[in-house]
Amino acid sequence: ILEAMQAAAAGHPDLVRIEDIGDSWEKTEGIADRDIWALKISDNAASEEAEEPELLFMAAHHAREIITPEIILFFMHYLLDNYGTDPYITFLVNNRQIWLIPLVNPDGHSYVFEADRWWRKNRRDNGDGTFGVDLNRNYGYRWGYDNIGSSPNSSSATYRGTGPFSEPETQAIRDFCSEHEFIISLSYHSYGQLWLYPWGYVSENT
């Protein structure tokens, strides 16, 4: 995934830049060397273009949803391959700052290929014989709202962690978002053919 991002940046230096935005849990523990990478596509990728809206696309919060980084990479190639020939794609790249994060959970993603194809969480050692926090349940807004959408039990597949943003992966996304002004964000998953939109914790429209 990183090699594909680096190749895109090398092949389109005016349209692409990549940034290391944070570390995985295993990297913070000295177990592995995995970073979380973001890629920007815009006509002036090296600059912050205050007049252009910022968009964020993410994938692979959940380790076993292995198709989702491929969707982000396909989108990356589609934008770059059609820039300058497709009027709509050219307009988007010229008038938007498009950020892509193909792999929010690099430790879990690696573990799926190495050990357990059904692994979902990150690879935190919870200290009680269990491993992993569901990164998609670890964000701060309404963290721990109830025990239906997430679980306080460390053995659960939807374990939300010891507190909001307890995980370095979600901290990286939080800090990255605080540095930008995203008008919309889309997180890819692969469980069902669904569009989920806010709010998720209560049956009310935004």
Side-chain angles (χ1 to χ4, degrees):
I1 293 170
L2 178 57
E3 287 175 359
M5 298 169 74
Q6 291 171 332
H12 305 272
D14 294 334
L15 302 180
V16 176
R17 87 168 191 248
I18 58 174
E19 292 184 10
D20 176 354
I21 65 167
D23 299 332
S24 72
W25 183 83
E26 288 191 340
K27 183 168 185 176
T28 66
E29 296 295 310
I31 299 171
D33 184 18
R34 301 189 188 99
D35 300 300
I36 300 168
W37 291 88
L39 179 145
K40 178 185 177 182
I41 297 178
S42 187
D43 59 336
N44 295 295
S47 303
E48 292 301 322
E49 303 158 289
E51 74 284 359
E52 294 185 4
E54 293 188 282
L55 318 174
L56 175 61
F57 298 82
M58 296 182 287
H61 277 81
H62 296 137
R64 63 193 179 202
E65 297 172 359
I66 59 175
I67 192 62
T68 60
E70 305 299 332
I71 295 171
I72 295 285
L73 293 179
F74 176 87
F75 185 41
M76 176 189 77
H77 286 298
Y78 189 82
L79 291 172
L80 297 174
D81 293 346
N82 290 282
Y83 180 76
T85 56
D86 183 304
Y88 183 60
I89 296 301
T90 303
F91 173 83
L92 289 178
V93 174
N94 286 345
N95 294 279
R96 302 288 185 271
Q97 300 181 84
I98 303 169
W99 284 95
L100 311 177
I101 302 177
L103 189 53
V104 175
N105 184 1
D107 292 343
H109 189 75
S110 179
Y111 191 72
V112 163
F113 288 95
E114 295 171 353
D116 182 357
R117 66 184 296 183
W118 294 109
W119 190 256
R120 171 183 168 95
K121 302 183 283 184
N122 74 352
R123 288 298 298 161
R124 169 180 288 279
D125 184 343
N126 294 319
D128 59 1
T130 69
F131 289 83
V133 170
D134 182 344
L135 297 179
N136 207 41
R137 306 296 190 275
N138 189 240
Y139 289 98
Y141 188 77
R142 294 294 192 265
W143 181 89
Y145 178 79
D146 59 30
N147 295 327
I148 300 171
S150 65
S151 174
N153 300 317
S154 61
S155 60
S156 171
T158 59
Y159 175 51
R160 59 183 173 249
T162 56
F165 297 112
S166 63
E167 305 311 295
E169 296 91 346
T170 53
Q171 293 169 22
I173 301 299
R174 176 198 62 196
D175 295 346
F176 181 69
C177 288
S178 72
E179 297 169 358
H180 296 271
E181 296 182 5
F182 294 113
I183 63 168
I184 194 167
S185 172
L186 180 62
S187 175
Y188 280 97
H189 296 260
S190 63
Y191 177 78
Q193 298 179 28
L194 307 168
W195 283 94
L196 304 179
Y197 54 88
W199 303 112
Y201 70 98
V202 65
S203 295
E204 294 179 3
N205 293 327
T206 56

PDB file of all heavy atoms in Angstrom, residues 33-69:
ATOM      1  N   ASP A  33       7.321  -1.732  12.901  1.00  0.00           N
ATOM      2  CA  ASP A  33       7.609  -0.399  12.369  1.00  0.00           C
ATOM      3  C   ASP A  33       6.546  -0.033  11.331  1.00  0.00           C
ATOM      4  O   ASP A  33       6.781  -0.079  10.134  1.00  0.00           O
ATOM      5  CB  ASP A  33       9.001  -0.373  11.733  1.00  0.00           C
ATOM      6  CG  ASP A  33       9.397   1.018  11.260  1.00  0.00           C
ATOM      7  OD1 ASP A  33       8.764   1.994  11.714  1.00  0.00           O
ATOM      8  OD2 ASP A  33      10.315   1.132  10.428  1.00  0.00           O
ATOM      9  N   ARG A  34       5.356   0.303  11.826  1.00  0.00           N
ATOM     10  CA  ARG A  34       4.246   0.626  10.932  1.00  0.00           C
ATOM     11  C   ARG A  34       3.710   2.023  11.240  1.00  0.00           C
ATOM     12  O   ARG A  34       3.437   2.349  12.398  1.00  0.00           O
ATOM     13  CB  ARG A  34       3.127  -0.409  11.079  1.00  0.00           C
ATOM     14  CG  ARG A  34       3.576  -1.829  10.777  1.00  0.00           C
ATOM     15  CD  ARG A  34       2.407  -2.801  10.720  1.00  0.00           C
ATOM     16  NE  ARG A  34       2.918  -4.167  10.619  1.00  0.00           N
ATOM     17  CZ  ARG A  34       3.032  -4.992  11.648  1.00  0.00           C
ATOM     18  NH1 ARG A  34       2.634  -4.609  12.855  1.00  0.00           N
ATOM     19  NH2 ARG A  34       3.528  -6.206  11.478  1.00  0.00           N
ATOM     20  N   ASP A  35       3.555   2.801  10.191  1.00  0.00           N
ATOM     21  CA  ASP A  35       3.040   4.154  10.304  1.00  0.00           C
ATOM     22  C   ASP A  35       1.653   4.239   9.663  1.00  0.00           C
ATOM     23  O   ASP A  35       1.227   3.340   8.938  1.00  0.00           O
ATOM     24  CB  ASP A  35       3.981   5.140   9.605  1.00  0.00           C
ATOM     25  CG  ASP A  35       5.373   5.119  10.200  1.00  0.00           C
ATOM     26  OD1 ASP A  35       5.501   5.407  11.404  1.00  0.00           O
ATOM     27  OD2 ASP A  35       6.321   4.804   9.463  1.00  0.00           O
ATOM     28  N   ILE A  36       0.983   5.340   9.933  1.00  0.00           N
ATOM     29  CA  ILE A  36      -0.281   5.651   9.267  1.00  0.00           C
ATOM     30  C   ILE A  36       0.009   6.763   8.273  1.00  0.00           C
ATOM     31  O   ILE A  36       0.519   7.826   8.649  1.00  0.00           O
ATOM     32  CB  ILE A  36      -1.348   6.061  10.291  1.00  0.00           C
ATOM     33  CG1 ILE A  36      -1.583   4.926  11.289  1.00  0.00           C
ATOM     34  CG2 ILE A  36      -2.658   6.434   9.589  1.00  0.00           C
ATOM     35  CD1 ILE A  36      -2.395   5.308  12.496  1.00  0.00           C
ATOM     36  N   TRP A  37      -0.338   6.508   7.021  1.00  0.00           N
ATOM     37  CA  TRP A  37       0.031   7.412   5.943  1.00  0.00           C
ATOM     38  C   TRP A  37      -1.205   8.056   5.331  1.00  0.00           C
ATOM     39  O   TRP A  37      -2.232   7.406   5.143  1.00  0.00           O
ATOM     40  CB  TRP A  37       0.795   6.668   4.854  1.00  0.00           C
ATOM     41  CG  TRP A  37       2.158   6.231   5.293  1.00  0.00           C
ATOM     42  CD1 TRP A  37       2.493   5.059   5.920  1.00  0.00           C
ATOM     43  CD2 TRP A  37       3.371   6.971   5.160  1.00  0.00           C
ATOM     44  NE1 TRP A  37       3.840   5.028   6.176  1.00  0.00           N
ATOM     45  CE2 TRP A  37       4.406   6.187   5.725  1.00  0.00           C
ATOM     46  CE3 TRP A  37       3.676   8.216   4.614  1.00  0.00           C
ATOM     47  CZ2 TRP A  37       5.726   6.624   5.756  1.00  0.00           C
ATOM     48  CZ3 TRP A  37       5.000   8.641   4.645  1.00  0.00           C
ATOM     49  CH2 TRP A  37       6.005   7.850   5.212  1.00  0.00           C
ATOM     50  N   ALA A  38      -1.073   9.327   5.016  1.00  0.00           N
ATOM     51  CA  ALA A  38      -2.116  10.072   4.313  1.00  0.00           C
ATOM     52  C   ALA A  38      -1.551  10.578   2.992  1.00  0.00           C
ATOM     53  O   ALA A  38      -0.360  10.910   2.901  1.00  0.00           O
ATOM     54  CB  ALA A  38      -2.599  11.244   5.151  1.00  0.00           C
ATOM     55  N   LEU A  39      -2.398  10.631   1.989  1.00  0.00           N
ATOM     56  CA  LEU A  39      -2.007  11.092   0.657  1.00  0.00           C
ATOM     57  C   LEU A  39      -2.970  12.172   0.207  1.00  0.00           C
ATOM     58  O   LEU A  39      -4.187  12.007   0.310  1.00  0.00           O
ATOM     59  CB  LEU A  39      -2.007   9.912  -0.326  1.00  0.00           C
ATOM     60  CG  LEU A  39      -1.653  10.191  -1.784  1.00  0.00           C
ATOM     61  CD1 LEU A  39      -0.886   9.001  -2.362  1.00  0.00           C
ATOM     62  CD2 LEU A  39      -2.911  10.441  -2.632  1.00  0.00           C
ATOM     63  N   LYS A  40      -2.421  13.267  -0.279  1.00  0.00           N
ATOM     64  CA  LYS A  40      -3.231  14.368  -0.773  1.00  0.00           C
ATOM     65  C   LYS A  40      -3.165  14.428  -2.289  1.00  0.00           C
ATOM     66  O   LYS A  40      -2.093  14.328  -2.878  1.00  0.00           O
ATOM     67  CB  LYS A  40      -2.747  15.701  -0.199  1.00  0.00           C
ATOM     68  CG  LYS A  40      -3.539  16.908  -0.710  1.00  0.00           C
ATOM     69  CD  LYS A  40      -2.946  18.205  -0.205  1.00  0.00           C
ATOM     70  CE  LYS A  40      -3.685  19.416  -0.763  1.00  0.00           C
ATOM     71  NZ  LYS A  40      -3.092  20.691  -0.332  1.00  0.00           N
ATOM     72  N   ILE A  41      -4.327  14.602  -2.915  1.00  0.00           N
ATOM     73  CA  ILE A  41      -4.409  14.840  -4.352  1.00  0.00           C
ATOM     74  C   ILE A  41      -5.057  16.196  -4.577  1.00  0.00           C
ATOM     75  O   ILE A  41      -6.161  16.457  -4.103  1.00  0.00           O
ATOM     76  CB  ILE A  41      -5.217  13.742  -5.063  1.00  0.00           C
ATOM     77  CG1 ILE A  41      -4.533  12.380  -4.907  1.00  0.00           C
ATOM     78  CG2 ILE A  41      -5.397  14.077  -6.547  1.00  0.00           C
ATOM     79  CD1 ILE A  41      -5.286  11.232  -5.546  1.00  0.00           C
ATOM     80  N   SER A  42      -4.339  17.066  -5.264  1.00  0.00           N
ATOM     81  CA  SER A  42      -4.846  18.379  -5.636  1.00  0.00           C
ATOM     82  C   SER A  42      -3.916  18.946  -6.708  1.00  0.00           C
ATOM     83  O   SER A  42      -2.820  18.425  -6.917  1.00  0.00           O
ATOM     84  CB  SER A  42      -4.905  19.303  -4.418  1.00  0.00           C
ATOM     85  OG  SER A  42      -5.550  20.520  -4.742  1.00  0.00           O
ATOM     86  N   ASP A  43      -4.355  20.004  -7.365  1.00  0.00           N
ATOM     87  CA  ASP A  43      -3.519  20.550  -8.434  1.00  0.00           C
ATOM     88  C   ASP A  43      -2.278  21.239  -7.887  1.00  0.00           C
ATOM     89  O   ASP A  43      -1.295  21.422  -8.611  1.00  0.00           O
ATOM     90  CB  ASP A  43      -4.322  21.498  -9.335  1.00  0.00           C
ATOM     91  CG  ASP A  43      -4.918  22.662  -8.580  1.00  0.00           C
ATOM     92  OD1 ASP A  43      -5.119  22.544  -7.359  1.00  0.00           O
ATOM     93  OD2 ASP A  43      -5.202  23.690  -9.214  1.00  0.00           O
ATOM     94  N   ASN A  44      -2.302  21.635  -6.625  1.00  0.00           N
ATOM     95  CA  ASN A  44      -1.120  22.187  -5.958  1.00  0.00           C
ATOM     96  C   ASN A  44      -0.938  21.442  -4.640  1.00  0.00           C
ATOM     97  O   ASN A  44      -1.118  22.007  -3.565  1.00  0.00           O
ATOM     98  CB  ASN A  44      -1.282  23.690  -5.714  1.00  0.00           C
ATOM     99  CG  ASN A  44      -1.355  24.476  -7.003  1.00  0.00           C
ATOM    100  OD1 ASN A  44      -0.394  24.528  -7.757  1.00  0.00           O
ATOM    101  ND2 ASN A  44      -2.504  25.066  -7.275  1.00  0.00           N
ATOM    102  N   ALA A  45      -0.581  20.180  -4.763  1.00  0.00           N
ATOM    103  CA  ALA A  45      -0.602  19.301  -3.593  1.00  0.00           C
ATOM    104  C   ALA A  45       0.331  19.753  -2.481  1.00  0.00           C
ATOM    105  O   ALA A  45       0.058  19.500  -1.302  1.00  0.00           O
ATOM    106  CB  ALA A  45      -0.250  17.874  -4.020  1.00  0.00           C
ATOM    107  N   ALA A  46       1.409  20.420  -2.827  1.00  0.00           N
ATOM    108  CA  ALA A  46       2.374  20.825  -1.809  1.00  0.00           C
ATOM    109  C   ALA A  46       1.889  22.002  -0.973  1.00  0.00           C
ATOM    110  O   ALA A  46       2.423  22.267   0.103  1.00  0.00           O
ATOM    111  CB  ALA A  46       3.706  21.174  -2.467  1.00  0.00           C
ATOM    112  N   SER A  47       0.866  22.704  -1.461  1.00  0.00           N
ATOM    113  CA  SER A  47       0.395  23.920  -0.790  1.00  0.00           C
ATOM    114  C   SER A  47      -0.908  23.664  -0.041  1.00  0.00           C
ATOM    115  O   SER A  47      -1.696  22.798  -0.412  1.00  0.00           O
ATOM    116  CB  SER A  47       0.169  25.031  -1.817  1.00  0.00           C
ATOM    117  OG  SER A  47       1.347  25.292  -2.549  1.00  0.00           O
ATOM    118  N   GLU A  48      -1.130  24.467   1.001  1.00  0.00           N
ATOM    119  CA  GLU A  48      -2.422  24.489   1.660  1.00  0.00           C
ATOM    120  C   GLU A  48      -3.282  25.515   0.932  1.00  0.00           C
ATOM    121  O   GLU A  48      -2.980  26.711   0.953  1.00  0.00           O
ATOM    122  CB  GLU A  48      -2.289  24.837   3.139  1.00  0.00           C
ATOM    123  CG  GLU A  48      -1.593  23.772   3.960  1.00  0.00           C
ATOM    124  CD  GLU A  48      -2.307  22.440   3.909  1.00  0.00           C
ATOM    125  OE1 GLU A  48      -3.555  22.415   3.904  1.00  0.00           O
ATOM    126  OE2 GLU A  48      -1.615  21.408   3.851  1.00  0.00           O
ATOM    127  N   GLU A  49      -4.324  25.031   0.277  1.00  0.00           N
ATOM    128  CA  GLU A  49      -5.150  25.897  -0.568  1.00  0.00           C
ATOM    129  C   GLU A  49      -6.420  26.260   0.195  1.00  0.00           C
ATOM    130  O   GLU A  49      -7.433  25.571   0.126  1.00  0.00           O
ATOM    131  CB  GLU A  49      -5.472  25.156  -1.870  1.00  0.00           C
ATOM    132  CG  GLU A  49      -4.206  24.716  -2.613  1.00  0.00           C
ATOM    133  CD  GLU A  49      -4.436  23.570  -3.567  1.00  0.00           C
ATOM    134  OE1 GLU A  49      -4.668  22.447  -3.090  1.00  0.00           O
ATOM    135  OE2 GLU A  49      -4.403  23.794  -4.783  1.00  0.00           O
ATOM    136  N   ALA A  50      -6.329  27.358   0.921  1.00  0.00           N
ATOM    137  CA  ALA A  50      -7.389  27.716   1.860  1.00  0.00           C
ATOM    138  C   ALA A  50      -8.744  27.895   1.193  1.00  0.00           C
ATOM    139  O   ALA A  50      -9.790  27.704   1.819  1.00  0.00           O
ATOM    140  CB  ALA A  50      -6.995  28.988   2.610  1.00  0.00           C
ATOM    141  N   GLU A  51      -8.746  28.259  -0.083  1.00  0.00           N
ATOM    142  CA  GLU A  51     -10.007  28.510  -0.772  1.00  0.00           C
ATOM    143  C   GLU A  51     -10.664  27.229  -1.286  1.00  0.00           C
ATOM    144  O   GLU A  51     -11.802  27.263  -1.746  1.00  0.00           O
ATOM    145  CB  GLU A  51      -9.766  29.463  -1.950  1.00  0.00           C
ATOM    146  CG  GLU A  51      -9.063  28.861  -3.158  1.00  0.00           C
ATOM    147  CD  GLU A  51      -7.559  28.656  -2.988  1.00  0.00           C
ATOM    148  OE1 GLU A  51      -7.042  29.009  -1.897  1.00  0.00           O
ATOM    149  OE2 GLU A  51      -6.919  28.153  -3.918  1.00  0.00           O
ATOM    150  N   GLU A  52      -9.967  26.095  -1.194  1.00  0.00           N
ATOM    151  CA  GLU A  52     -10.502  24.838  -1.718  1.00  0.00           C
ATOM    152  C   GLU A  52     -10.983  23.931  -0.594  1.00  0.00           C
ATOM    153  O   GLU A  52     -10.254  23.711   0.383  1.00  0.00           O
ATOM    154  CB  GLU A  52      -9.446  24.113  -2.555  1.00  0.00           C
ATOM    155  CG  GLU A  52      -9.062  24.854  -3.821  1.00  0.00           C
ATOM    156  CD  GLU A  52      -8.107  24.084  -4.698  1.00  0.00           C
ATOM    157  OE1 GLU A  52      -7.787  22.919  -4.353  1.00  0.00           O
ATOM    158  OE2 GLU A  52      -7.694  24.634  -5.730  1.00  0.00           O
ATOM    159  N   PRO A  53     -12.204  23.386  -0.700  1.00  0.00           N
ATOM    160  CA  PRO A  53     -12.710  22.466   0.328  1.00  0.00           C
ATOM    161  C   PRO A  53     -11.820  21.233   0.468  1.00  0.00           C
ATOM    162  O   PRO A  53     -11.239  20.748  -0.514  1.00  0.00           O
ATOM    163  CB  PRO A  53     -14.097  22.081  -0.197  1.00  0.00           C
ATOM    164  CG  PRO A  53     -14.474  23.154  -1.157  1.00  0.00           C
ATOM    165  CD  PRO A  53     -13.183  23.617  -1.771  1.00  0.00           C
ATOM    166  N   GLU A  54     -11.738  20.737   1.701  1.00  0.00           N
ATOM    167  CA  GLU A  54     -10.957  19.532   1.987  1.00  0.00           C
ATOM    168  C   GLU A  54     -11.901  18.355   2.220  1.00  0.00           C
ATOM    169  O   GLU A  54     -12.895  18.470   2.943  1.00  0.00           O
ATOM    170  CB  GLU A  54     -10.076  19.741   3.214  1.00  0.00           C
ATOM    171  CG  GLU A  54      -8.985  20.771   2.995  1.00  0.00           C
ATOM    172  CD  GLU A  54      -8.014  20.814   4.153  1.00  0.00           C
ATOM    173  OE1 GLU A  54      -8.352  21.418   5.191  1.00  0.00           O
ATOM    174  OE2 GLU A  54      -6.917  20.250   4.035  1.00  0.00           O
ATOM    175  N   LEU A  55     -11.556  17.218   1.630  1.00  0.00           N
ATOM    176  CA  LEU A  55     -12.338  15.985   1.741  1.00  0.00           C
ATOM    177  C   LEU A  55     -11.437  14.898   2.298  1.00  0.00           C
ATOM    178  O   LEU A  55     -10.250  14.839   1.981  1.00  0.00           O
ATOM    179  CB  LEU A  55     -12.868  15.561   0.367  1.00  0.00           C
ATOM    180  CG  LEU A  55     -13.413  16.657  -0.553  1.00  0.00           C
ATOM    181  CD1 LEU A  55     -13.756  16.074  -1.910  1.00  0.00           C
ATOM    182  CD2 LEU A  55     -14.619  17.323   0.077  1.00  0.00           C
ATOM    183  N   LEU A  56     -12.014  13.990   3.088  1.00  0.00           N
ATOM    184  CA  LEU A  56     -11.234  12.911   3.691  1.00  0.00           C
ATOM    185  C   LEU A  56     -11.889  11.564   3.414  1.00  0.00           C
ATOM    186  O   LEU A  56     -13.073  11.373   3.695  1.00  0.00           O
ATOM    187  CB  LEU A  56     -11.118  13.124   5.205  1.00  0.00           C
ATOM    188  CG  LEU A  56     -10.418  12.018   5.999  1.00  0.00           C
ATOM    189  CD1 LEU A  56      -8.971  11.842   5.533  1.00  0.00           C
ATOM    190  CD2 LEU A  56     -10.481  12.324   7.493  1.00  0.00           C
ATOM    191  N   PHE A  57     -11.094  10.647   2.877  1.00  0.00           N
ATOM    192  CA  PHE A  57     -11.530   9.271   2.634  1.00  0.00           C
ATOM    193  C   PHE A  57     -10.596   8.340   3.408  1.00  0.00           C
ATOM    194  O   PHE A  57      -9.378   8.423   3.252  1.00  0.00           O
ATOM    195  CB  PHE A  57     -11.480   8.932   1.137  1.00  0.00           C
ATOM    196  CG  PHE A  57     -12.390   9.775   0.288  1.00  0.00           C
ATOM    197  CD1 PHE A  57     -12.000  11.038  -0.134  1.00  0.00           C
ATOM    198  CD2 PHE A  57     -13.636   9.305  -0.084  1.00  0.00           C
ATOM    199  CE1 PHE A  57     -12.841  11.820  -0.917  1.00  0.00           C
ATOM    200  CE2 PHE A  57     -14.478  10.076  -0.864  1.00  0.00           C
ATOM    201  CZ  PHE A  57     -14.083  11.337  -1.281  1.00  0.00           C
ATOM    202  N   MET A  58     -11.175   7.443   4.213  1.00  0.00           N
ATOM    203  CA  MET A  58     -10.383   6.522   5.028  1.00  0.00           C
ATOM    204  C   MET A  58     -10.834   5.086   4.790  1.00  0.00           C
ATOM    205  O   MET A  58     -11.953   4.838   4.341  1.00  0.00           O
ATOM    206  CB  MET A  58     -10.546   6.848   6.512  1.00  0.00           C
ATOM    207  CG  MET A  58     -10.030   8.200   6.932  1.00  0.00           C
ATOM    208  SD  MET A  58     -10.227   8.477   8.718  1.00  0.00           S
ATOM    209  CE  MET A  58     -12.009   8.715   8.830  1.00  0.00           C
ATOM    210  N   ALA A  59      -9.944   4.145   5.143  1.00  0.00           N
ATOM    211  CA  ALA A  59     -10.283   2.727   5.016  1.00  0.00           C
ATOM    212  C   ALA A  59      -9.551   1.919   6.085  1.00  0.00           C
ATOM    213  O   ALA A  59      -8.586   2.390   6.690  1.00  0.00           O
ATOM    214  CB  ALA A  59      -9.922   2.210   3.632  1.00  0.00           C
ATOM    215  N   ALA A  60     -10.051   0.709   6.291  1.00  0.00           N
ATOM    216  CA  ALA A  60      -9.392  -0.300   7.138  1.00  0.00           C
ATOM    217  C   ALA A  60      -9.237   0.123   8.599  1.00  0.00           C
ATOM    218  O   ALA A  60      -8.187  -0.077   9.201  1.00  0.00           O
ATOM    219  CB  ALA A  60      -8.051  -0.714   6.546  1.00  0.00           C
ATOM    220  N   HIS A  61     -10.294   0.686   9.163  1.00  0.00           N
ATOM    221  CA  HIS A  61     -10.352   0.738  10.621  1.00  0.00           C
ATOM    222  C   HIS A  61     -10.368  -0.686  11.172  1.00  0.00           C
ATOM    223  O   HIS A  61      -9.759  -0.968  12.199  1.00  0.00           O
ATOM    224  CB  HIS A  61     -11.631   1.458  11.083  1.00  0.00           C
ATOM    225  CG  HIS A  61     -11.538   2.943  11.097  1.00  0.00           C
ATOM    226  ND1 HIS A  61     -11.699   3.705   9.959  1.00  0.00           N
ATOM    227  CD2 HIS A  61     -11.334   3.819  12.112  1.00  0.00           C
ATOM    228  CE1 HIS A  61     -11.588   4.990  10.274  1.00  0.00           C
ATOM    229  NE2 HIS A  61     -11.363   5.085  11.573  1.00  0.00           N
ATOM    230  N   HIS A  62     -11.108  -1.547  10.489  1.00  0.00           N
ATOM    231  CA  HIS A  62     -11.239  -2.951  10.901  1.00  0.00           C
ATOM    232  C   HIS A  62     -10.334  -3.823  10.036  1.00  0.00           C
ATOM    233  O   HIS A  62     -10.420  -3.806   8.806  1.00  0.00           O
ATOM    234  CB  HIS A  62     -12.699  -3.397  10.803  1.00  0.00           C
ATOM    235  CG  HIS A  62     -13.592  -2.661  11.737  1.00  0.00           C
ATOM    236  ND1 HIS A  62     -14.838  -2.179  11.370  1.00  0.00           N
ATOM    237  CD2 HIS A  62     -13.418  -2.297  13.036  1.00  0.00           C
ATOM    238  CE1 HIS A  62     -15.387  -1.570  12.406  1.00  0.00           C
ATOM    239  NE2 HIS A  62     -14.554  -1.627  13.431  1.00  0.00           N
ATOM    240  N   ALA A  63      -9.485  -4.586  10.702  1.00  0.00           N
ATOM    241  CA  ALA A  63      -8.391  -5.277  10.031  1.00  0.00           C
ATOM    242  C   ALA A  63      -8.856  -6.230   8.938  1.00  0.00           C
ATOM    243  O   ALA A  63      -8.244  -6.315   7.877  1.00  0.00           O
ATOM    244  CB  ALA A  63      -7.564  -6.035  11.073  1.00  0.00           C
ATOM    245  N   ARG A  64      -9.935  -6.951   9.205  1.00  0.00           N
ATOM    246  CA  ARG A  64     -10.349  -8.004   8.268  1.00  0.00           C
ATOM    247  C   ARG A  64     -11.076  -7.460   7.035  1.00  0.00           C
ATOM    248  O   ARG A  64     -11.376  -8.224   6.120  1.00  0.00           O
ATOM    249  CB  ARG A  64     -11.246  -9.007   8.989  1.00  0.00           C
ATOM    250  CG  ARG A  64     -12.549  -8.433   9.504  1.00  0.00           C
ATOM    251  CD  ARG A  64     -13.207  -9.388  10.466  1.00  0.00           C
ATOM    252  NE  ARG A  64     -14.462  -8.883  11.014  1.00  0.00           N
ATOM    253  CZ  ARG A  64     -14.995  -9.306  12.146  1.00  0.00           C
ATOM    254  NH1 ARG A  64     -14.379 -10.246  12.850  1.00  0.00           N
ATOM    255  NH2 ARG A  64     -16.141  -8.823  12.590  1.00  0.00           N
ATOM    256  N   GLU A  65     -11.349  -6.181   6.995  1.00  0.00           N
ATOM    257  CA  GLU A  65     -12.039  -5.590   5.849  1.00  0.00           C
ATOM    258  C   GLU A  65     -10.997  -5.199   4.798  1.00  0.00           C
ATOM    259  O   GLU A  65     -10.788  -4.032   4.479  1.00  0.00           O
ATOM    260  CB  GLU A  65     -12.896  -4.418   6.323  1.00  0.00           C
ATOM    261  CG  GLU A  65     -13.988  -4.906   7.273  1.00  0.00           C
ATOM    262  CD  GLU A  65     -14.775  -3.801   7.959  1.00  0.00           C
ATOM    263  OE1 GLU A  65     -14.483  -2.610   7.723  1.00  0.00           O
ATOM    264  OE2 GLU A  65     -15.681  -4.126   8.742  1.00  0.00           O
ATOM    265  N   ILE A  66     -10.364  -6.242   4.245  1.00  0.00           N
ATOM    266  CA  ILE A  66      -9.148  -6.046   3.459  1.00  0.00           C
ATOM    267  C   ILE A  66      -9.414  -5.472   2.066  1.00  0.00           C
ATOM    268  O   ILE A  66      -8.477  -5.034   1.399  1.00  0.00           O
ATOM    269  CB  ILE A  66      -8.336  -7.354   3.346  1.00  0.00           C
ATOM    270  CG1 ILE A  66      -9.167  -8.454   2.699  1.00  0.00           C
ATOM    271  CG2 ILE A  66      -7.837  -7.777   4.717  1.00  0.00           C
ATOM    272  CD1 ILE A  66      -8.393  -9.731   2.459  1.00  0.00           C
ATOM    273  N   ILE A  67     -10.658  -5.456   1.616  1.00  0.00           N
ATOM    274  CA  ILE A  67     -10.947  -4.855   0.314  1.00  0.00           C
ATOM    275  C   ILE A  67     -10.898  -3.331   0.382  1.00  0.00           C
ATOM    276  O   ILE A  67     -10.693  -2.661  -0.630  1.00  0.00           O
ATOM    277  CB  ILE A  67     -12.322  -5.341  -0.210  1.00  0.00           C
ATOM    278  CG1 ILE A  67     -12.513  -4.972  -1.686  1.00  0.00           C
ATOM    279  CG2 ILE A  67     -13.455  -4.743   0.622  1.00  0.00           C
ATOM    280  CD1 ILE A  67     -11.521  -5.601  -2.624  1.00  0.00           C
ATOM    281  N   THR A  68     -11.075  -2.766   1.560  1.00  0.00           N
ATOM    282  CA  THR A  68     -11.262  -1.316   1.653  1.00  0.00           C
ATOM    283  C   THR A  68     -10.027  -0.500   1.275  1.00  0.00           C
ATOM    284  O   THR A  68     -10.164   0.529   0.604  1.00  0.00           O
ATOM    285  CB  THR A  68     -11.803  -0.909   3.037  1.00  0.00           C
ATOM    286  OG1 THR A  68     -10.884  -1.310   4.063  1.00  0.00           O
ATOM    287  CG2 THR A  68     -13.150  -1.557   3.299  1.00  0.00           C
ATOM    288  N   PRO A  69      -8.801  -0.890   1.651  1.00  0.00           N
ATOM    289  CA  PRO A  69      -7.656  -0.129   1.148  1.00  0.00           C
ATOM    290  C   PRO A  69      -7.554  -0.175  -0.371  1.00  0.00           C
ATOM    291  O   PRO A  69      -7.110   0.801  -1.000  1.00  0.00           O
ATOM    292  CB  PRO A  69      -6.445  -0.812   1.801  1.00  0.00           C
ATOM    293  CG  PRO A  69      -6.995  -1.494   3.000  1.00  0.00           C
ATOM    294  CD  PRO A  69      -8.369  -1.926   2.612  1.00  0.00           C
TER     295      PRO A  69
END
